[in-house]
Amino acid sequence: MGLPNHFDLIATDGTARTGKLTTPHGVVRTPAFMPVGTSGAMKGLHWREVRDAGTDIVLGNTYHLMLRPGAERIAALGGLQSFTGWNGPMLTDSGGFQVMSLAQLRKVGERAVTFRSHIDGLSVELSPERAVEVQLLLGSDIAMQLDECVRLPAERGDIERAMQLSLRWAERSKRAFEAAPEGYMLVGIAQGGDVPKLRRASARGLVEIGFHAYAIGGLAVGEPQSVMLAMIEEVAPLLPMDRPRYLMGVGTPEDMLEAVARGIDMFDCVMPTRNGRHGMGFTRFGQINLRNARHADDPRPLDEESPWPSTRGISRAYLNHLVRSGETLGAMLLSEINVAYYQQLMADIRQAIAQGSFASFSERTRAGWARGDIVPR
Amino acid sequence: MGLPNHFDLIATDGTARTGKLTTPHGVVRTPAFMPVGTSGAMKGLHWREVRDAGTDIVLGNTYHLMLRPGAERIAALGGLQSFTGWNGPMLTDSGGFQVMSLAQLRKVGERAVTFRSHIDGLSVELSPERAVEVQLLLGSDIAMQLDECVRLPAERGDIERAMQLSLRWAERSKRAFEAAPEGYMLVGIAQGGDVPKLRRASARGLVEIGFHAYAIGGLAVGEPQSVMLAMIEEVAPLLPMDRPRYLMGVGTPEDMLEAVARGIDMFDCVMPTRNGRHGMGFTRFGQINLRNARHADDPRPLDEESPWPSTRGISRAYLNHLVRSGETLGAMLLSEINVAYYQQLMADIRQAIAQGSFASFSERTRAGWARGDIVPR
């Protein structure tokens, strides 16, 4: 409680919200999508392209960066922004999720999680305090508390234990964050798996502690979309209206549309870049597999009405050729096209909310996805 | 003989020359370096970056393009420029060199070379006539005759046989090229390995046939630089002054400086992009291995006086991190940095020749490479 608020709610439309979040490195328009620059780089994109695509804020992975090149090194080089050349807002995760998915021999204790680095096998300890310290060294505008994320499906007992531990870590994280310079933010993460009662308890506990913003974690980890949306509906109403809400690791364009409708303000996902590397292009017509032979002779672009030059100006035939030949340029172009589509979608969502027409916008957007791709010639 | 000339010699300085070559898709300033866009893409670079780096003309590989996506398909899509979006001059090789290095079960006969595609194993026949036809289908501004290139060291008998075959193919190529639209060019290729007498015979034979331009092939295939330079010295004086001369597959910045001094006008090489993918950066201080640990904490750029933004503005520490982490962005940045360095070198060479100061420019440039990289902090 009593933490300064850097979020301005501009308009609401039903439960959907649009606003702006002011960080030390600039303003983030919400709803916001954060492309993921895992190790201090966005796979297949120059930072100038990330920016030009309409990105306000990007996400960096604490786990990767603390192992290589190291938080102290990045701090000595002036922080993540100066190190990478991305001169805008950055959010970093706490490292907890990657410890669970990438590290070997991990052991979760009350005090900290210990694990072996997947890079050099060295033993590393990550406590809530160290996670905050690392993120402050990185200079990230928005830091996440360390939490324990349980993969679904899971036993209720395991879910509850991880949720309670995450709450105790939330409290310790907040104390550690008292060292942060003004304007920087810390986010508490609601856990509780797919159990409504645990989700509510987690949310209430976090609000009692008080954070700059609130995240919903532990979703998009294998459960059906309906479960994810139900958990948002449990948590969101318990969070303060005037603070940003971030749904971690989500998702598809449709996931985001549903989550915005339920009051979510921020998203991150590797999907636009990862799917781009696998030959997939996101468009108004849904996701298109450029590897498909039907594109091989098609001189038409992915979407001739797109505001993004690569989406409007590059032929399906050329993209098909690049993908089938394994040319890096195919991954570069599709990653760029996909990030641009995600950001255009967020821009359209913000505008629709501001105009009070989010419901009809959602319906139109869904109809486009459902109609599917243009007909082959 | 009698073929129209599209080359204007602007100035000479000793044996070095600067000029401009007018192609259907634009003007090429010489000496010119052609980055290699093997399969219709430049590895790690967007076409806009290739252009911005100062590139007038790029090279495409007929062998790759005829196998995938296919010459007829590219023709139906409007030619290479329209297909790829590189709206500038393009030179294509004849496919002969890649047949020798990549294809399986190849058989060189008088009429044609037959081989199995390295992509799908299908049997393909490439004759001098088909090589010209394919290049006209691609719409390349400058086509190369099919030749047979012998890897050095080789027996004199083999070298002579391949050289004579290449001459006969040169004649057939020229006849086939009579179908070409106005303004397009065909290049004869001098072979002859490391045997001066055979090189001279090859050059004289080609000049007698008459081409828009002349290439020296079969070098930079494993022989010492001194042999390469000696062969240029045999061939160049026999070529008409008013036609462009192209040294195929070359090379390092130093190779190019030496070759320009001996009257060469055009180069192509995969080195800037390939070495870029392997963590190497070309600079005024020579070639720098960014993987080296001495860069890990160095906030300085590769060369703070470079006119190229990425060379001047991105820290060695960040490049080191990207290379060590295997991030695509490392390869993208270094490929871009290297192509820009090559093009800057060519621009400086052209200016020095025009000013009659090529000798002193060469000396200064060499001194920079010899001095080596800046001292670690």
Side-chain angles (χ1 to χ4, degrees), chain B residues 96-118:
Chain B
F97 185 81
Q98 264 82 25
V99 169
M100 305 305 163
S101 56
L102 292 178
Q104 297 147 345
L105 291 179
R106 64 186 169 276
K107 195 170 161 289
V108 181
E110 181 66 30
R111 206 173 56 77
V113 51
T114 52
F115 60 93
R116 286 196 189 279
S117 157
H118 76 290

Side-chain angles (χ1 to χ4, degrees), chain B residues 225-237:
Chain B
Q225 193 200 46
S226 59
V227 171
M228 179 180 87
L229 299 178
M231 293 304 109
I232 299 172
E233 289 170 10
E234 295 294 338
V235 170

Side-chain angles (χ1 to χ4, degrees), chain B residues 47-335:
Chain B
W47 289 116
R48 57 181 179 264
E49 293 158 358
V50 178
R51 167 70 70 192
D52 290 349
T55 302
D56 287 345
I57 177 170
V58 299
L59 181 143
N61 284 126
T62 290
Y63 171 83
H64 287 95
L65 292 165
M66 70 185 279
L67 296 183
R68 186 172 57 195
E72 279 73 10
R73 169 170 285 150
I74 290 178
L77 289 162
L80 262 178
Q81 275 85 358
S82 159
F83 178 63
T84 60
W86 164 260
N87 294 311
M90 274 210 182
L91 177 148
T92 46
D93 63 9
S94 68
F97 185 81
Q98 264 82 25
V99 169
M100 305 305 163
S101 56
L102 292 178
Q104 297 147 345
L105 291 179
R106 64 186 169 276
K107 195 170 161 289
V108 181
E110 181 66 30
R111 206 173 56 77
V113 51
T114 52
F115 60 93
R116 286 196 189 279
S117 157
H118 76 290
I119 297 173
D120 57 13
L122 286 182
S123 178
V124 182
E125 185 183 275
L126 189 62
S127 64
E129 292 78 12
R130 175 63 181 162
V132 165
E133 185 187 21
V134 164
Q135 293 178 82
L136 290 177
L137 283 167
L138 296 176
S140 68
D141 300 82
I142 307 177
M144 305 296 295
Q145 69 149 105
L146 185 68
D147 62 341
E148 187 188 355
C149 171
V150 173
R151 210 168 279 278
L152 299 178
E155 297 293 322
R156 181 179 165 132
D158 289 337
I159 296 173
E160 178 156 16
R161 188 197 49 72
M163 183 276 276
Q164 294 290 3
L165 179 67
S166 297
L167 264 187
R168 292 192 297 277
W169 284 1
E171 195 143 16
R172 285 167 56 189
S173 303
K174 189 182 174 187
R175 263 199 310 275
F177 201 76
E178 284 166 9
E182 207 182 302
Y184 288 79
M185 289 172 250
L186 178 66
V187 184
I189 305 175
Q191 289 290 351
D194 52 3
V195 186
K197 194 179 155 194
L198 297 180
R199 284 281 172 188
R200 292 195 299 271
S202 180
R204 289 199 185 96
L206 289 175
V207 173
E208 200 167 311
I209 298 168
F211 287 92
H212 293 97
Y214 296 88
I216 307 182
L219 292 175
V221 290
E223 79 286 356
Q225 193 200 46
S226 59
V227 171
M228 179 180 87
L229 299 178
M231 293 304 109
I232 299 172
E233 289 170 10
E234 295 294 338
V235 170
L238 303 178
L239 300 176
M241 270 294 282
D242 64 345
R243 300 281 172 157
R245 303 154 180 182
Y246 160 31
L247 181 61
M248 298 176 77
V250 171
T252 65
E254 207 217 341
D255 286 341
M256 296 195 298
L257 214 51
E258 294 287 0
V260 165
R262 288 160 177 82
I264 297 295
D265 306 304
M266 295 169 75
F267 303 91
D268 81 278
C269 194
V270 295
M271 207 173 267
T273 46
R274 178 176 291 166
N275 291 20
R277 290 198 299 285
H278 291 105
M280 307 295 289
F282 285 96
T283 74
R284 281 191 297 144
F285 315 114
Q287 212 178 151
I288 297 174
N289 185 352
L290 270 308
R291 187 177 290 275
N292 197 306
R294 75 187 169 90
H295 304 296
D297 296 297
D298 198 335
R300 294 172 300 173
L302 271 173
D303 179 0
E304 53 203 8
E305 290 174 27
S306 167
W308 186 250
S310 298
T311 312
R312 187 180 61 233
I314 293 177
S315 76
R316 289 160 179 254
Y318 187 48
L319 291 171
N320 174 266
H321 167 65
L322 295 174
V323 168
R324 290 169 86 102
S325 303
E327 284 288 338
T328 321
L329 185 59
M332 288 163 61
L333 286 170
L334 284 169
S335 297

Side-chain angles (χ1 to χ4, degrees), chain A residues 285-315:
Chain A
F285 316 114
Q287 209 177 154
I288 297 174
N289 185 352
L290 270 309
R291 188 177 289 276
N292 196 306
R294 75 187 171 91
H295 303 297
D297 296 297
D298 198 334
R300 293 173 300 174
L302 271 173
D303 179 0
E304 53 203 9
E305 289 173 28
S306 167
W308 187 251
S310 297
T311 312
R312 189 179 60 233
I314 293 177
S315 75

